[in-house]
Amino acid sequence: MKSSHRIVLFSILLMFFSMPSFSQKKVLTDEEEVSEMVIKEMDEVFHSNDFLKQKNKKFKAVSGTIVVDIGVVQNGKVSTLFKVDSDINNPNFTNFISDYVLDHKFYFKLQKQQRYKIRYTVIF
């Protein structure tokens, strides 16, 4: 009986300590790879139910295209967001998009002291 308790306890401890290694973010080093991941994740963000619900609640009639430069730093955070071009002339919507993107944290990391600027186009 005691040995089965030890095995179960050991198994639980092993799973507990191995989980962080599975959940660690991937470290990206190639600019093209970073660009692909940023575009993929931003597409997911702008097509998520949470975003669409908030957009439709506040800005249902807004449609068009926005081109932005997204700055990404080492820990996967969005450091900067600059609007390059837009055919949407609603500053409140632009602020909404800016706040939404700046709060996003990517599911990857960069090497130390790395920073990338990715051009992204979103169509609403």
Side-chain angles (χ1 to χ4, degrees):
M1 187 79 173
K2 282 191 172 232
S3 66
S4 66
H5 285 288
R6 288 182 181 167
I7 292 173
V8 170
L9 180 63
F10 179 73
S11 299
I12 290 172
L13 286 173
L14 185 61
M15 285 185 351
F16 179 71
F17 288 112
S18 65
M19 291 301 263
S21 65
F22 290 123
S23 64
Q24 286 184 349
K25 294 179 179 181
K26 184 177 179 181
V27 177
L28 302 180
T29 56
D30 182 43
E31 187 172 0
E32 287 182 24
E33 191 177 19
V34 172
S35 179
E36 288 174 14
M37 289 297 290
V38 167
I39 290 169
K40 179 183 170 221
E41 284 191 39
M42 285 291 98
D43 285 343
E44 290 173 3
V45 165
F46 288 125
H47 291 98
S48 71
N49 288 336
D50 182 48
F51 173 78
L52 293 174
K53 184 188 279 187
Q54 288 185 31
K55 180 207 174 279
N56 289 334
K57 184 177 180 181
K58 297 177 182 180
F59 306 100
K60 189 170 188 129
V62 173
S63 64
T65 304
I66 297 178
V67 179
V68 293
D69 283 339
I70 300 172
V72 183
V73 292
Q74 176 186 349
N75 58 0
K77 287 186 178 181
V78 177
S79 61
T80 58
L81 181 86
F82 294 109
K83 181 177 81 168
V84 177
D85 190 26
S86 177
D87 60 3
I88 300 173
N89 294 323
N90 186 336
N92 290 332
F93 182 72
T94 304
N95 289 338
F96 166 71
I97 294 298
S98 178
D99 291 342
Y100 204 88
V101 172
L102 287 170
D103 288 340
H104 182 71
K105 189 167 182 181
F106 291 102
Y107 300 113
F108 61 83
K109 289 184 176 183
L110 303 175
Q111 289 180 329
K112 287 187 176 189
Q113 304 300 317
Q114 286 292 332
R115 178 185 194 122
Y116 290 103
K117 182 175 76 170
I118 309 300
R119 177 127 327 151
Y120 177 71
T121 303
V122 61
I123 301 171
F124 298 102

